[in-house]
Amino acid sequence: LYRTVTKLRNTYVDTLPQLINEQTHRIHTNFHQTGTATGRLSSSDPNLQNIPIRSAQGREIRRAFRAQNPDNCIISADYSQIELRILASLAQEENLKDAFLSGEDIHTMMASRIFATKPEDVSADQRSQAKAINFGLIYGMGAQRLARETGVSTKEAKDFIEKYFANYPQI
């Protein structure tokens, strides 16, 4: 708890007041369209994507971000697994499309297929590895990097890749 509170204090409580614009008396982030390898939009000063939401303390910090007046609003949009959804559509990969349409957790489903287990038996570590596979492969990640990212051997990473393409033959 001490570490969590200290991180929130150092990262947000002490820092955010320093980012207040003297003219508007508000905080304005800087958006970047070319700053990530994936092409995703990012922001800095502050990084809006890192403002915590899962803990009560984090949600309290988020409450500091308010629209300028009652006629305005702040929108938070999360294109959940957008790259995988686009891939499913472009490749016409029915297994992937069906998973999205049925509302399955795509990473748990992939872990279930790769590790030959029931979705309810997938561990957090297996889901994390499947997530690295799902996103890594669409950006051209090879077996060596996948091995480093997931903490497995190169041979196991190659097996993951083979199982991925066996489950999604249209990709």
Side-chain angles (χ1 to χ4, degrees):
L1 180 63
Y2 175 79
R3 250 175 86 187
T4 302
V5 172
T6 301
K7 180 174 173 54
L8 291 173
R9 180 177 170 220
N10 293 339
T11 306
Y12 302 105
V13 177
D14 292 344
T15 305
L16 289 175
Q18 297 172 20
L19 298 174
I20 295 173
N21 181 292
E22 290 181 20
Q23 293 175 330
T24 64
H25 305 287
R26 302 185 64 73
I27 294 174
H28 304 273
T29 192
N30 296 301
F31 288 103
H32 312 282
Q33 286 186 294
T34 58
T36 66
T38 62
R40 286 183 171 185
L41 191 66
S42 65
S43 68
S44 63
D45 301 318
N47 180 347
L48 297 176
Q49 293 152 317
N50 284 351
I51 296 173
I53 194 166
R54 293 191 178 146
S55 69
Q57 297 93 347
R59 287 189 297 277
E60 192 65 26
I61 290 169
R62 276 183 174 251
R63 286 188 49 213
F65 290 85
R66 296 186 310 246
Q68 190 166 2
N69 63 56
D71 293 333
N72 296 352
C73 65
I74 295 176
I75 297 173
S76 175
D78 178 9
Y79 294 111
S80 181
Q81 299 141 355
I82 190 68
E83 299 97 329
L84 295 173
R85 291 173 188 271
I86 291 169
L87 176 65
S89 178
L90 290 175
Q92 291 299 302
E93 178 49 64
E94 295 305 319
N95 289 330
L96 201 50
K97 285 170 56 177
D98 290 345
F100 280 120
L101 290 172
S102 68
E104 292 181 57
D105 178 297
I106 202 73
H107 305 308
T108 299
M109 184 201 67
M110 175 49 71
S112 165
R113 290 176 178 213
I114 288 174
F115 297 105
T117 186
K118 296 177 189 169
E120 59 270 16
D121 294 334
V122 169
S123 71
D125 188 49
Q126 289 172 325
R127 184 185 182 281
S128 178
Q129 288 177 326
K131 185 175 180 178
I133 294 164
N134 278 332
F135 286 115
L137 293 184
I138 63 175
Y139 288 107
M141 185 183 292
Q144 288 182 334
R145 178 150 178 226
L146 183 61
R148 281 194 312 271
E149 297 282 327
T150 59
V152 300
S153 70
T154 304
K155 182 189 179 321
E156 287 174 298
K158 285 179 184 176
D159 289 343
F160 287 165
I161 292 169
E162 286 176 18
K163 288 177 183 176
Y164 180 90
F165 289 116
N167 280 286
Y168 301 125
Q170 294 300 114
I171 296 175

